[in-house]
Amino acid sequence: HSQRILERHKKDRSITFGMKVVVNYELERLLLGYGDYIKVLQPKSLADRLREIHLHAAELGEENNI
C-alpha cells in the first residue's frame, strides 16, 4: 500500500498518516486546497515550499489592505 495510518489523535480527532507520492506542481496545488486543515511533515522540502506559498499569499493580502 502507498499509505498507512501512523497515529490517531483522539483530542482533536486528527490523523497522522504516511504515503508515497511524487512531489510535483499538481500535488502542491492539491495540498494547498486544504488550507489550514492540513500539515505536511515530510518531506521537509515540500513542507517548506507550502509554507513559502502561504507566507507569500499572506504578504500579498497585507499589501492589498494598506
Side-chain angles (χ1 to χ4, degrees):
H1 295 280
S2 65
Q3 67 183 36
R4 63 189 170 109
I5 293 176
L6 302 175
E7 189 174 356
R8 293 180 188 268
H9 310 276
K10 292 181 180 181
K11 184 176 181 179
D12 64 1
R13 300 181 66 200
S14 65
I15 298 173
T16 301
F17 65 94
M19 61 189 314
K20 293 182 182 181
V21 297
V22 175
V23 177
N24 56 29
Y25 179 83
E26 290 79 13
L27 178 63
E28 285 181 4
R29 297 299 165 238
L30 174 70
L31 296 175
L32 287 168
Y34 287 99
D36 63 345
Y37 293 100
I38 189 170
K39 181 177 182 181
V40 175
L41 304 175
Q42 294 292 330
K44 187 177 182 313
S45 60
L46 178 59
D48 290 345
R49 174 76 177 133
L50 296 179
R51 186 176 305 104
E52 288 173 12
I53 293 169
H54 280 290
L55 289 173
H56 180 69
E59 289 171 1
L60 290 175
E62 289 175 3
E63 289 174 10
N64 291 330
N65 289 331
I66 295 176

